[in-house]
Amino acid sequence: MKIAYLGPKGSFSHHVVQTAFPKEKLQAFANITDVIKAYEQGLVDYSVVPVENSIEGSVHESLDYLFHQADIQAVAEIVQPIHQQLMVVPGQSEIEKIFSHPQALAQGKKFIEEHYPEAQLEVTASTAYAARFIAEHPDQPFAAIAPRNSAREYGLELIAENIQEMEANFTRFWVLGAEIPKIPLKPQAEKMSLALTLPDNLPGALYKALSTFAWRGIDLTKIESRPLKTALGEYFFIIDVDYSDKELVHFARQELEAIGIQYKILGTYPIFTIRDLGKESL
């Protein structure tokens, strides 16, 4: 079985797929879109993509592609604790540029402003790409923000540890595929993610959509708006629904259809959490 993930080796995505699929063949791709396309094209059995960080919010590339272009559903969710490290080529003392994924740069913004206010920030496709890039340019005054595994993978030296602004830092990853895979972690709650499209001629449409869940006592764990990309001011809404009572959720979906609210199921999935072993685990 083949599993696609956002590479290269040493990324948080790599750690997630190693944990969830320890015996399977793992294949890295350069960006999230390519990870999803790998499943669409039949190159892999599952694709694993990040969808939300607890500090920086949703990963729009993942959610927008799944809504606008893909006909794939999430079949499992894996929650990964995040610890960001600042690393350099061993012996490097000057830092003029810091490379990383936009999410990691944002998570370490406060630390960078305090300790390296003059450094230029350079965006990469993933944290691990940043680590690999500076390892390939040992004579340059570069640093990277990446997981501890990246330092091990590319022979880099940690010069600052756990630089994320908040200790409670987690990223949700979705496993995209046809059925729930066997994951060697204990499943927790189960959720359903829906993307709602509201009709123009229905006053209070969002209120009515959410009410179908509220009056049934169904918890929503997330609501977010994203541009429909059709016209300014037009949006679709992503909601995460507690799926412990499947029959109630089924009736809520029927009511959505009855009042003219269209929806797309982005996934129905159990949630698995990777145990946070602290600084040494990453």
Side-chain angles (χ1 to χ4, degrees), residues 44 68 73 81 94 201 203 208 256:
V44 297
H68 290 287
Q73 292 190 15
E94 295 185 9
N201 60 348
K208 292 176 181 177
L256 287 177

mmCIF file with all atom_site columns, all heavy atoms in Angstrom, residues 44 68 73 81 94 201 203 208 256:
data_model
loop_
_atom_site.group_PDB
_atom_site.id
_atom_site.type_symbol
_atom_site.label_atom_id
_atom_site.label_alt_id
_atom_site.label_comp_id
_atom_site.label_asym_id
_atom_site.label_entity_id
_atom_site.label_seq_id
_atom_site.pdbx_PDB_ins_code
_atom_site.Cartn_x
_atom_site.Cartn_y
_atom_site.Cartn_z
_atom_site.occupancy
_atom_site.B_iso_or_equiv
_atom_site.pdbx_formal_charge
_atom_site.auth_seq_id
_atom_site.auth_comp_id
_atom_site.auth_asym_id
_atom_site.auth_atom_id
_atom_site.pdbx_PDB_model_num
ATOM 1  N N   . VAL A 1 44  ? -1.553  6.371  -5.464 1.00 0.00 ? 44  VAL A N   1
ATOM 2  C CA  . VAL A 1 44  ? -1.411  5.927  -4.075 1.00 0.00 ? 44  VAL A CA  1
ATOM 3  C C   . VAL A 1 44  ? -2.762  5.426  -3.567 1.00 0.00 ? 44  VAL A C   1
ATOM 4  O O   . VAL A 1 44  ? -3.807  5.668  -4.177 1.00 0.00 ? 44  VAL A O   1
ATOM 5  C CB  . VAL A 1 44  ? -0.909  7.073  -3.169 1.00 0.00 ? 44  VAL A CB  1
ATOM 6  C CG1 . VAL A 1 44  ? 0.484   7.535  -3.587 1.00 0.00 ? 44  VAL A CG1 1
ATOM 7  C CG2 . VAL A 1 44  ? -1.891  8.253  -3.176 1.00 0.00 ? 44  VAL A CG2 1
ATOM 8  N N   . HIS A 1 68  ? -13.574 22.686 -4.168 1.00 0.00 ? 68  HIS A N   1
ATOM 9  C CA  . HIS A 1 68  ? -13.770 23.172 -5.531 1.00 0.00 ? 68  HIS A CA  1
ATOM 10 C C   . HIS A 1 68  ? -13.453 22.131 -6.602 1.00 0.00 ? 68  HIS A C   1
ATOM 11 O O   . HIS A 1 68  ? -14.080 22.134 -7.667 1.00 0.00 ? 68  HIS A O   1
ATOM 12 C CB  . HIS A 1 68  ? -12.901 24.411 -5.780 1.00 0.00 ? 68  HIS A CB  1
ATOM 13 C CG  . HIS A 1 68  ? -13.350 25.636 -5.038 1.00 0.00 ? 68  HIS A CG  1
ATOM 14 N ND1 . HIS A 1 68  ? -14.465 26.351 -5.393 1.00 0.00 ? 68  HIS A ND1 1
ATOM 15 C CD2 . HIS A 1 68  ? -12.823 26.268 -3.967 1.00 0.00 ? 68  HIS A CD2 1
ATOM 16 C CE1 . HIS A 1 68  ? -14.615 27.379 -4.578 1.00 0.00 ? 68  HIS A CE1 1
ATOM 17 N NE2 . HIS A 1 68  ? -13.638 27.352 -3.703 1.00 0.00 ? 68  HIS A NE2 1
ATOM 18 N N   . GLN A 1 73  ? -13.140 12.117 -0.009 1.00 0.00 ? 73  GLN A N   1
ATOM 19 C CA  . GLN A 1 73  ? -13.542 12.383 1.367  1.00 0.00 ? 73  GLN A CA  1
ATOM 20 C C   . GLN A 1 73  ? -12.455 11.962 2.355  1.00 0.00 ? 73  GLN A C   1
ATOM 21 O O   . GLN A 1 73  ? -11.683 11.030 2.082  1.00 0.00 ? 73  GLN A O   1
ATOM 22 C CB  . GLN A 1 73  ? -14.846 11.658 1.701  1.00 0.00 ? 73  GLN A CB  1
ATOM 23 C CG  . GLN A 1 73  ? -16.050 12.197 0.952  1.00 0.00 ? 73  GLN A CG  1
ATOM 24 C CD  . GLN A 1 73  ? -17.353 11.633 1.478  1.00 0.00 ? 73  GLN A CD  1
ATOM 25 O OE1 . GLN A 1 73  ? -17.410 11.048 2.562  1.00 0.00 ? 73  GLN A OE1 1
ATOM 26 N NE2 . GLN A 1 73  ? -18.403 11.808 0.713  1.00 0.00 ? 73  GLN A NE2 1
ATOM 27 N N   . PRO A 1 81  ? 0.750   16.861 17.686 1.00 0.00 ? 81  PRO A N   1
ATOM 28 C CA  . PRO A 1 81  ? 1.320   17.972 18.452 1.00 0.00 ? 81  PRO A CA  1
ATOM 29 C C   . PRO A 1 81  ? 2.476   18.606 17.670 1.00 0.00 ? 81  PRO A C   1
ATOM 30 O O   . PRO A 1 81  ? 3.263   17.907 17.029 1.00 0.00 ? 81  PRO A O   1
ATOM 31 C CB  . PRO A 1 81  ? 1.834   17.308 19.731 1.00 0.00 ? 81  PRO A CB  1
ATOM 32 C CG  . PRO A 1 81  ? 1.148   15.972 19.778 1.00 0.00 ? 81  PRO A CG  1
ATOM 33 C CD  . PRO A 1 81  ? 0.908   15.576 18.364 1.00 0.00 ? 81  PRO A CD  1
ATOM 34 N N   . GLU A 1 94  ? 25.853  33.291 11.911 1.00 0.00 ? 94  GLU A N   1
ATOM 35 C CA  . GLU A 1 94  ? 25.104  34.431 11.387 1.00 0.00 ? 94  GLU A CA  1
ATOM 36 C C   . GLU A 1 94  ? 23.826  33.945 10.716 1.00 0.00 ? 94  GLU A C   1
ATOM 37 O O   . GLU A 1 94  ? 23.827  32.933 10.018 1.00 0.00 ? 94  GLU A O   1
ATOM 38 C CB  . GLU A 1 94  ? 25.953  35.213 10.385 1.00 0.00 ? 94  GLU A CB  1
ATOM 39 C CG  . GLU A 1 94  ? 27.180  35.864 10.988 1.00 0.00 ? 94  GLU A CG  1
ATOM 40 C CD  . GLU A 1 94  ? 27.928  36.717 9.978  1.00 0.00 ? 94  GLU A CD  1
ATOM 41 O OE1 . GLU A 1 94  ? 27.376  36.931 8.876  1.00 0.00 ? 94  GLU A OE1 1
ATOM 42 O OE2 . GLU A 1 94  ? 29.039  37.145 10.284 1.00 0.00 ? 94  GLU A OE2 1
ATOM 43 N N   . ASN A 1 201 ? -31.734 33.471 -2.165 1.00 0.00 ? 201 ASN A N   1
ATOM 44 C CA  . ASN A 1 201 ? -33.107 33.929 -1.908 1.00 0.00 ? 201 ASN A CA  1
ATOM 45 C C   . ASN A 1 201 ? -33.694 33.388 -0.614 1.00 0.00 ? 201 ASN A C   1
ATOM 46 O O   . ASN A 1 201 ? -34.910 33.320 -0.456 1.00 0.00 ? 201 ASN A O   1
ATOM 47 C CB  . ASN A 1 201 ? -34.011 33.536 -3.090 1.00 0.00 ? 201 ASN A CB  1
ATOM 48 C CG  . ASN A 1 201 ? -34.036 32.022 -3.300 1.00 0.00 ? 201 ASN A CG  1
ATOM 49 O OD1 . ASN A 1 201 ? -33.229 31.302 -2.717 1.00 0.00 ? 201 ASN A OD1 1
ATOM 50 N ND2 . ASN A 1 201 ? -34.959 31.553 -4.124 1.00 0.00 ? 201 ASN A ND2 1
ATOM 51 N N   . PRO A 1 203 ? -33.660 34.284 3.210  1.00 0.00 ? 203 PRO A N   1
ATOM 52 C CA  . PRO A 1 203 ? -33.241 35.161 4.311  1.00 0.00 ? 203 PRO A CA  1
ATOM 53 C C   . PRO A 1 203 ? -32.843 34.349 5.549  1.00 0.00 ? 203 PRO A C   1
ATOM 54 O O   . PRO A 1 203 ? -33.509 33.378 5.907  1.00 0.00 ? 203 PRO A O   1
ATOM 55 C CB  . PRO A 1 203 ? -34.488 36.008 4.588  1.00 0.00 ? 203 PRO A CB  1
ATOM 56 C CG  . PRO A 1 203 ? -35.268 35.955 3.316  1.00 0.00 ? 203 PRO A CG  1
ATOM 57 C CD  . PRO A 1 203 ? -35.023 34.591 2.758  1.00 0.00 ? 203 PRO A CD  1
ATOM 58 N N   . LYS A 1 208 ? -30.550 29.453 9.609  1.00 0.00 ? 208 LYS A N   1
ATOM 59 C CA  . LYS A 1 208 ? -31.426 28.298 9.433  1.00 0.00 ? 208 LYS A CA  1
ATOM 60 C C   . LYS A 1 208 ? -30.612 27.010 9.270  1.00 0.00 ? 208 LYS A C   1
ATOM 61 O O   . LYS A 1 208 ? -31.001 25.949 9.774  1.00 0.00 ? 208 LYS A O   1
ATOM 62 C CB  . LYS A 1 208 ? -32.345 28.514 8.240  1.00 0.00 ? 208 LYS A CB  1
ATOM 63 C CG  . LYS A 1 208 ? -33.371 29.625 8.475  1.00 0.00 ? 208 LYS A CG  1
ATOM 64 C CD  . LYS A 1 208 ? -34.210 29.895 7.239  1.00 0.00 ? 208 LYS A CD  1
ATOM 65 C CE  . LYS A 1 208 ? -35.215 31.022 7.514  1.00 0.00 ? 208 LYS A CE  1
ATOM 66 N NZ  . LYS A 1 208 ? -36.019 31.372 6.321  1.00 0.00 ? 208 LYS A NZ  1
ATOM 67 N N   . LEU A 1 256 ? -31.631 20.192 5.862  1.00 0.00 ? 256 LEU A N   1
ATOM 68 C CA  . LEU A 1 256 ? -30.857 21.124 5.027  1.00 0.00 ? 256 LEU A CA  1
ATOM 69 C C   . LEU A 1 256 ? -31.353 21.059 3.582  1.00 0.00 ? 256 LEU A C   1
ATOM 70 O O   . LEU A 1 256 ? -31.566 22.087 2.929  1.00 0.00 ? 256 LEU A O   1
ATOM 71 C CB  . LEU A 1 256 ? -29.370 20.783 5.080  1.00 0.00 ? 256 LEU A CB  1
ATOM 72 C CG  . LEU A 1 256 ? -28.599 21.102 6.350  1.00 0.00 ? 256 LEU A CG  1
ATOM 73 C CD1 . LEU A 1 256 ? -27.156 20.611 6.227  1.00 0.00 ? 256 LEU A CD1 1
ATOM 74 C CD2 . LEU A 1 256 ? -28.609 22.597 6.645  1.00 0.00 ? 256 LEU A CD2 1
#
